[in-house]
Amino acid sequence: MKKYTFGLSIVSFIGGCIVNFSGQYSDGLIIILLLLFVVETISFLATGIIKETITWKIFFRETIKHILLVTIIIISYMLDFILGTEDRFKNATLLFYIGVEMTIIIGYAVSVGIPMPEVITKFIEQIENGKTNGESDTNTELKSDEDKKS
């Protein structure tokens, strides 16, 4: 979950374009992101308690990260206002961080052993390995072919 790749940026850019061209402005996106902050904080605490790795220092560091993330969102609002770009920076920033928060939450769930659908785990593995939709892993394809034959 520590790597955020080009593929995630492209997904957020495409989502921002869809929102922008559809005329739907993203006031709801900020609410979604705030809810994901709450869920991520709860997931972080639960994972830390289950694995017995949580400390006040680690919790404080994660809180500072969220404050910096909110600062980046505020800067994107300012850029839209200054440049008159009609929420393009804000939408792209919000969609990017919504994607990031969702992958972090899924990562916490997987790390404590909650089963995930295969589609989601493959998507997370692709993000971690830095692969985009057009790329494939020949080793994985070969292994799955061998599994089918067995």
Side-chain angles (χ1 to χ4, degrees):
M1 297 311 114
K2 295 180 182 179
K3 291 184 189 177
Y4 304 113
T5 64
F6 184 69
L8 188 57
S9 299
I10 288 182
V11 169
S12 63
F13 174 76
I14 291 170
C17 289
I18 291 169
V19 169
N20 187 42
F21 292 129
S22 68
Q24 303 292 324
Y25 292 104
S26 60
D27 294 335
L29 291 178
I30 192 72
I31 294 169
I32 292 169
L33 184 61
L34 291 174
L35 289 173
L36 287 173
F37 279 167
V38 171
V39 171
E40 192 231 328
T41 302
I42 292 168
S43 301
F44 168 75
L45 290 172
T47 303
I49 291 169
I50 290 170
K51 292 185 167 191
E52 299 177 356
T53 58
I54 188 86
T55 64
W56 281 108
K57 183 179 178 180
I58 294 171
F59 180 74
F60 184 68
R61 185 182 72 220
E62 292 298 314
T63 304
I64 294 295
K65 285 181 183 180
H66 280 141
I67 291 169
L68 290 172
L69 195 140
V70 169
T71 304
I72 292 170
I73 293 169
I74 291 170
I75 290 170
S76 72
Y77 271 83
M78 287 185 211
L79 282 172
D80 280 331
F81 179 75
I82 292 169
L83 300 174
T85 54
E86 299 178 4
D87 297 336
R88 286 190 179 107
F89 287 108
K90 177 184 79 165
N91 289 343
T93 304
L94 290 173
L95 287 169
F96 176 77
Y97 285 118
I98 285 171
V100 168
E101 290 297 310
M102 289 168 53
T103 56
I104 290 171
I105 292 166
I106 291 169
Y108 285 142
V110 168
S111 72
V112 295
I114 295 175
M116 286 287 145
E118 189 176 334
V119 173
I120 293 175
T121 55
K122 283 185 179 182
F123 179 73
I124 298 299
E125 288 172 3
Q126 286 178 350
I127 289 174
E128 288 176 341
N129 294 330
K131 295 178 185 168
T132 58
N133 287 337
E135 299 174 8
S136 65
D137 186 2
T138 54
N139 291 335
T140 305
E141 291 173 3
L142 291 174
K143 287 180 184 177
S144 65
D145 288 340
E146 289 174 7
D147 291 341
K148 290 177 186 176
K149 291 178 183 175
S150 301

